Amino acid sequence: MKHLGKVGLALGGGGAKGFAHIGVLKALEDYQVPVHQLAGTSMGAIVGVLYAAGFKADEILELLREEKVWNWFKLDILKGGLVNLNGAKEALEKHIGHSSFEQLSMPFSVTASNLNTGKLKVINQGQQLFDWVMASCSVPVAFSPVTIDGHTYVDGGLFMNLPVEPIMYSCDTVIGSSVIIDKKMEVSMNPKDVAERVFNLSIIHNQRSSKLHCDYYFEFKKLNDFSMWDFHRFEDIVNIGYKTAKKKIEKEMLPAPINDN
Protein backbone atom coordinates (compact mmCIF):
# COMPACT_ATOMS: atom_id res chain seq x y z
CA MET A 1 0.00 0.00 0.00
CA LYS A 2 1.23 3.49 -0.86
CA HIS A 3 2.01 5.74 2.13
CA LEU A 4 -1.18 7.67 2.74
CA GLY A 5 -0.57 9.39 6.07
CA LYS A 6 -3.71 10.59 7.80
CA VAL A 7 -6.69 9.53 5.69
CA GLY A 8 -9.97 11.42 5.47
CA LEU A 9 -13.05 9.90 3.85
CA ALA A 10 -15.94 11.95 2.44
CA LEU A 11 -19.22 10.10 1.86
CA GLY A 12 -21.73 11.81 -0.41
CA GLY A 13 -25.52 11.74 -0.44
CA GLY A 14 -27.85 10.00 -2.85
CA GLY A 15 -30.66 8.26 -0.99
CA ALA A 16 -30.56 4.47 -1.11
CA LYS A 17 -27.62 4.61 -3.52
CA GLY A 18 -25.56 5.79 -0.56
CA PHE A 19 -25.48 2.23 0.77
CA ALA A 20 -22.63 1.76 -1.72
CA HIS A 21 -20.45 3.54 0.86
CA ILE A 22 -20.69 0.44 3.05
CA GLY A 23 -19.05 -1.52 0.23
CA VAL A 24 -16.33 1.11 -0.01
CA LEU A 25 -15.63 0.79 3.71
CA LYS A 26 -15.51 -2.98 3.38
CA ALA A 27 -12.97 -2.74 0.54
CA LEU A 28 -10.82 -0.27 2.49
CA GLU A 29 -10.85 -2.67 5.45
CA ASP A 30 -9.89 -5.63 3.24
CA TYR A 31 -6.85 -3.75 1.93
CA GLN A 32 -6.02 -2.33 5.36
CA VAL A 33 -6.50 1.28 4.31
CA PRO A 34 -7.06 3.16 7.57
CA VAL A 35 -9.68 5.89 7.95
CA HIS A 36 -8.80 8.56 10.51
CA GLN A 37 -11.49 11.14 9.84
CA LEU A 38 -14.96 11.07 8.28
CA ALA A 39 -17.43 13.52 6.80
CA GLY A 40 -20.87 12.60 5.51
CA THR A 41 -23.84 14.12 3.76
CA SER A 42 -27.36 12.63 3.71
CA MET A 43 -27.08 8.82 3.43
CA GLY A 44 -23.32 9.31 3.68
CA ALA A 45 -24.01 10.83 7.11
CA ILE A 46 -25.95 7.75 8.26
CA VAL A 47 -23.27 5.33 7.06
CA GLY A 48 -20.53 7.65 8.28
CA VAL A 49 -21.84 8.09 11.81
CA LEU A 50 -22.11 4.33 12.28
CA TYR A 51 -18.53 3.83 11.11
CA ALA A 52 -17.32 6.74 13.23
CA ALA A 53 -19.05 5.11 16.21
CA GLY A 54 -16.90 2.02 15.78
CA PHE A 55 -19.05 -0.29 13.63
CA LYS A 56 -17.20 -2.18 10.90
CA ALA A 57 -18.66 -2.46 7.39
CA ASP A 58 -20.04 -5.98 7.92
CA GLU A 59 -21.60 -4.90 11.21
CA ILE A 60 -23.34 -1.97 9.52
CA LEU A 61 -24.69 -4.32 6.85
CA GLU A 62 -25.96 -6.74 9.48
CA LEU A 63 -27.58 -3.84 11.34
CA LEU A 64 -29.47 -2.84 8.17
CA ARG A 65 -30.70 -6.41 7.76
CA GLU A 66 -31.75 -6.65 11.39
CA GLU A 67 -33.54 -3.31 11.36
CA LYS A 68 -35.19 -3.86 7.94
CA VAL A 69 -33.80 -0.55 6.77
CA TRP A 70 -36.61 0.14 4.29
CA ASN A 71 -38.86 0.69 7.31
CA TRP A 72 -36.77 3.67 8.39
CA PHE A 73 -38.38 5.91 5.80
CA LYS A 74 -42.12 6.33 6.39
CA LEU A 75 -44.74 8.70 4.96
CA ASP A 76 -45.98 11.21 7.53
CA ILE A 77 -49.64 11.88 6.66
CA LEU A 78 -49.85 14.70 9.24
CA LYS A 79 -47.11 16.56 7.36
CA GLY A 80 -48.59 16.33 3.90
CA GLY A 81 -47.22 12.93 2.96
CA LEU A 82 -43.58 13.88 3.49
CA VAL A 83 -41.19 11.15 4.60
CA ASN A 84 -40.12 11.31 8.22
CA LEU A 85 -36.88 9.87 9.52
CA ASN A 86 -38.02 8.82 12.98
CA GLY A 87 -37.23 5.17 12.28
CA ALA A 88 -33.69 5.95 11.21
CA LYS A 89 -33.11 8.22 14.20
CA GLU A 90 -34.44 5.64 16.67
CA ALA A 91 -32.24 2.91 15.19
CA LEU A 92 -29.10 5.08 15.43
CA GLU A 93 -29.92 6.06 19.01
CA LYS A 94 -30.40 2.42 19.96
CA HIS A 95 -27.21 1.10 18.39
CA ILE A 96 -24.83 3.99 19.09
CA GLY A 97 -26.11 4.68 22.59
CA HIS A 98 -25.04 8.30 22.96
CA SER A 99 -25.69 11.58 21.13
CA SER A 100 -22.25 13.20 21.32
CA PHE A 101 -19.89 13.94 18.45
CA GLU A 102 -17.05 13.91 20.95
CA GLN A 103 -17.74 10.32 22.06
CA LEU A 104 -17.38 8.90 18.55
CA SER A 105 -14.32 6.78 17.78
CA MET A 106 -13.00 9.28 15.23
CA PRO A 107 -13.63 12.90 14.19
CA PHE A 108 -16.85 13.13 12.21
CA SER A 109 -18.42 16.07 10.36
CA VAL A 110 -21.92 16.30 8.91
CA THR A 111 -23.41 18.89 6.54
CA ALA A 112 -26.90 20.41 6.50
CA SER A 113 -28.51 23.27 4.60
CA ASN A 114 -30.02 26.12 6.63
CA LEU A 115 -33.25 27.28 4.93
CA ASN A 116 -33.42 30.42 7.07
CA THR A 117 -29.99 31.78 6.24
CA GLY A 118 -29.52 30.06 2.89
CA LYS A 119 -26.11 28.82 4.02
CA LEU A 120 -24.33 25.53 4.55
CA LYS A 121 -23.87 24.29 8.11
CA VAL A 122 -20.97 21.98 8.94
CA ILE A 123 -21.16 20.50 12.42
CA ASN A 124 -18.65 18.24 14.18
CA GLN A 125 -19.25 18.82 17.88
CA GLY A 126 -21.96 18.92 20.51
CA GLN A 127 -24.70 16.72 21.93
CA GLN A 128 -27.21 16.82 19.03
CA LEU A 129 -25.54 14.17 16.90
CA PHE A 130 -28.68 12.45 15.65
CA ASP A 131 -30.60 15.66 14.98
CA TRP A 132 -27.81 16.82 12.70
CA VAL A 133 -27.57 13.48 10.91
CA MET A 134 -31.33 13.56 10.28
CA ALA A 135 -31.14 17.17 9.08
CA SER A 136 -28.43 16.16 6.63
CA CYS A 137 -30.75 13.44 5.24
CA SER A 138 -33.87 15.56 4.77
CA VAL A 139 -34.17 15.74 0.99
CA PRO A 140 -36.17 18.92 0.16
CA VAL A 141 -39.87 18.43 -0.73
CA ALA A 142 -39.72 14.64 -0.17
CA PHE A 143 -38.56 14.56 3.48
CA SER A 144 -39.73 16.54 6.47
CA PRO A 145 -37.28 19.34 7.39
CA VAL A 146 -35.59 19.27 10.79
CA THR A 147 -35.70 22.19 13.23
CA ILE A 148 -32.63 22.68 15.42
CA ASP A 149 -32.20 25.67 17.76
CA GLY A 150 -34.96 27.58 15.98
CA HIS A 151 -33.58 27.10 12.46
CA THR A 152 -34.95 24.85 9.72
CA TYR A 153 -32.54 22.46 7.99
CA VAL A 154 -32.71 20.17 4.97
CA ASP A 155 -30.32 17.87 3.11
CA GLY A 156 -26.69 19.01 3.12
CA GLY A 157 -26.42 17.97 -0.52
CA LEU A 158 -28.21 21.16 -1.51
CA PHE A 159 -24.93 23.05 -0.97
CA MET A 160 -22.24 20.38 -0.45
CA ASN A 161 -23.04 16.82 -1.42
CA LEU A 162 -19.47 15.53 -1.29
CA PRO A 163 -18.14 16.91 2.02
CA VAL A 164 -14.44 17.07 1.18
CA GLU A 165 -13.80 20.60 2.40
CA PRO A 166 -14.43 19.83 6.12
CA ILE A 167 -11.58 17.26 6.12
CA MET A 168 -9.14 18.33 3.41
CA TYR A 169 -7.02 20.65 5.56
CA SER A 170 -6.56 18.18 8.42
CA CYS A 171 -5.74 15.06 6.36
CA ASP A 172 -2.81 14.00 4.19
CA THR A 173 -4.95 11.90 1.85
CA VAL A 174 -8.59 12.58 0.94
CA ILE A 175 -10.83 9.86 -0.47
CA GLY A 176 -14.20 10.83 -1.91
CA SER A 177 -17.09 8.45 -2.49
CA SER A 178 -19.95 9.80 -4.63
CA VAL A 179 -23.03 7.87 -5.76
CA ILE A 180 -24.44 10.63 -8.00
CA ILE A 181 -22.99 10.31 -11.51
CA ASP A 182 -22.30 13.39 -13.61
CA LYS A 183 -23.80 12.34 -16.97
CA LYS A 184 -26.65 12.92 -19.41
CA MET A 185 -29.65 10.65 -19.00
CA GLU A 186 -33.19 10.06 -20.21
CA VAL A 187 -35.88 11.29 -17.82
CA SER A 188 -39.47 10.10 -17.75
CA MET A 189 -42.41 12.42 -17.05
CA ASN A 190 -43.06 10.65 -13.76
CA PRO A 191 -43.12 13.44 -11.12
CA LYS A 192 -40.94 11.42 -8.73
CA ASP A 193 -38.32 10.83 -11.44
CA VAL A 194 -38.36 14.51 -12.40
CA ALA A 195 -37.97 15.61 -8.77
CA GLU A 196 -35.07 13.20 -8.27
CA ARG A 197 -33.31 14.44 -11.43
CA VAL A 198 -33.77 18.10 -10.48
CA PHE A 199 -32.22 17.54 -7.05
CA ASN A 200 -29.42 15.45 -8.52
CA LEU A 201 -28.54 18.23 -10.97
CA SER A 202 -27.93 20.63 -8.08
CA ILE A 203 -25.77 17.94 -6.45
CA ILE A 204 -23.80 17.31 -9.64
CA HIS A 205 -23.04 21.01 -9.93
CA ASN A 206 -21.80 21.53 -6.37
CA GLN A 207 -19.73 18.35 -6.12
CA ARG A 208 -17.67 19.07 -9.24
CA SER A 209 -15.41 21.42 -7.28
CA SER A 210 -15.26 19.06 -4.29
CA LYS A 211 -14.09 16.24 -6.54
CA LEU A 212 -11.01 18.26 -7.51
CA HIS A 213 -9.74 18.11 -3.91
CA CYS A 214 -9.82 14.29 -3.74
CA ASP A 215 -6.64 12.26 -3.99
CA TYR A 216 -8.77 9.20 -4.77
CA TYR A 217 -12.34 9.31 -6.01
CA PHE A 218 -14.87 6.47 -6.10
CA GLU A 219 -17.94 6.64 -8.35
CA PHE A 220 -20.32 3.86 -9.33
CA LYS A 221 -21.64 3.74 -12.88
CA LYS A 222 -23.62 0.56 -12.22
CA LEU A 223 -25.82 2.52 -9.82
CA ASN A 224 -27.48 4.22 -12.80
CA ASP A 225 -29.97 1.34 -12.76
CA PHE A 226 -31.03 2.20 -9.21
CA SER A 227 -33.24 4.91 -7.76
CA MET A 228 -32.57 6.89 -4.61
CA TRP A 229 -35.74 5.19 -3.27
CA ASP A 230 -34.52 1.59 -3.72
CA PHE A 231 -33.95 0.99 -0.02
CA HIS A 232 -35.09 -2.64 -0.29
CA ARG A 233 -32.22 -3.30 -2.75
CA PHE A 234 -29.52 -2.27 -0.28
CA GLU A 235 -27.63 -5.58 -0.50
CA ASP A 236 -27.16 -5.21 -4.27
CA ILE A 237 -26.06 -1.60 -3.84
CA VAL A 238 -23.51 -2.51 -1.15
CA ASN A 239 -22.11 -5.20 -3.43
CA ILE A 240 -21.67 -2.73 -6.30
CA GLY A 241 -19.86 -0.37 -3.95
CA TYR A 242 -17.54 -3.13 -2.79
CA LYS A 243 -16.63 -4.45 -6.24
CA THR A 244 -16.09 -0.98 -7.67
CA ALA A 245 -13.94 0.20 -4.76
CA LYS A 246 -11.91 -3.01 -4.79
CA LYS A 247 -10.95 -2.50 -8.44
CA LYS A 248 -10.12 1.15 -7.81
CA ILE A 249 -7.90 0.34 -4.83
CA GLU A 250 -6.04 -2.37 -6.75
CA LYS A 251 -5.51 -0.08 -9.73
CA GLU A 252 -4.56 3.19 -8.03
CA MET A 253 -3.69 2.71 -4.38
CA LEU A 254 -1.52 -0.40 -4.37
CA PRO A 255 2.18 -0.16 -5.39
CA ALA A 256 2.85 -0.99 -9.02
CA PRO A 257 4.22 -4.53 -9.49
CA ILE A 258 7.98 -4.81 -9.99
CA ASN A 259 8.97 -5.74 -13.52
CA ASP A 260 11.88 -8.20 -13.35
CA ASN A 261 12.49 -8.17 -17.09
Side-chain angles (χ1 to χ4, degrees):
M1 182 62 61
K2 295 178 181 178
H3 179 69
L4 302 175
K6 185 178 180 181
V7 177
L9 178 61
L11 304 177
K17 296 182 181 183
F19 291 131
H21 300 316
I22 301 170
V24 170
L25 291 166
K26 172 65 174 172
L28 293 174
E29 289 173 4
D30 284 355
Y31 286 94
Q32 299 182 334
V33 178
V35 176
H36 302 98
Q37 191 168 337
L38 270 167
T41 295
S42 200
M43 186 58 77
I46 288 181
V47 174
V49 73
L50 286 167
Y51 205 73
F55 290 84
K56 297 299 183 183
D58 284 340
E59 294 172 328
I60 297 174
L61 185 55
E62 184 56 37
L63 186 155
L64 298 184
R65 294 187 186 114
E66 175 188 330
E67 292 286 341
K68 297 182 174 57
V69 66
W70 53 88
N71 290 326
W72 288 5
F73 309 94
K74 297 285 190 178
L75 288 180
D76 191 336
I77 303 302
L78 296 178
K79 293 187 177 180
L82 296 179
V83 176
N84 75 57
L85 292 164
N86 292 341
K89 184 178 180 181
E90 290 170 2
L92 293 179
E93 289 173 338
K94 178 175 73 173
H95 289 280
I96 293 177
H98 65 82
S99 61
S100 170
F101 279 88
E102 286 78 7
Q103 290 186 52
L104 295 171
S105 300
M106 68 179 72
F108 174 66
S109 299
V110 64
T111 68
S113 301
N114 188 321
L115 290 185
N116 301 99
T117 64
K119 295 181 179 180
L120 176 74
K121 177 76 171 181
V122 178
I123 185 77
N124 53 24
Q125 59 186 356
Q127 302 297 316
Q128 295 173 294
L129 175 63
F130 304 117
D131 288 336
W132 286 114
V133 171
M134 293 305 101
S136 184
C137 295
S138 298
V139 179
V141 181
F143 287 61
S144 300
V146 175
T147 300
I148 303 174
D149 298 333
H151 286 249
T152 302
Y153 293 90
V154 294
D155 196 304
L158 190 64
F159 295 130
M160 183 186 290
N161 193 60
L162 185 64
V164 171
E165 286 83 345
I167 60 176
M168 58 185 286
Y169 297 109
S170 56
C171 295
D172 302 304
T173 300
V174 174
I175 301 173
S177 180
S178 172
V179 298
I180 303 298
I181 306 299
D182 188 349
K183 62 167 289 184
K184 296 179 181 179
M185 63 178 293
E186 296 293 328
V187 180
S188 75
M189 295 303 292
N190 182 301
K192 187 173 74 170
D193 293 341
V194 172
E196 180 175 345
R197 179 59 173 167
V198 169
F199 186 60
N200 283 350
L201 286 174
S202 71
I203 286 174
I204 288 168
H205 177 74
N206 74 53
Q207 74 179 17
R208 284 174 181 163
S209 58
S210 299
K211 178 180 176 180
L212 298 177
H213 299 298
C214 295
D215 297 291
Y216 301 98
Y217 182 73
F218 298 134
E219 60 181 355
F220 313 91
K221 294 180 181 179
K222 290 186 178 180
L223 289 181
N224 286 333
D225 296 330
F226 293 79
S227 162
M228 65 181 291
W229 307 104
D230 284 338
F231 298 106
H232 63 290
R233 302 177 67 188
F234 70 94
E235 303 248 15
D236 294 330
I237 294 171
V238 171
N239 193 44
I240 288 173
Y242 176 73
K243 290 182 177 179
T244 303
K246 186 173 181 288
K247 290 179 180 178
K248 184 84 169 181
I249 292 169
E250 290 174 350
K251 181 179 180 180
E252 297 186 12
M253 300 179 73
L254 297 180
I258 297 174
N259 189 341
D260 296 327
N261 295 328

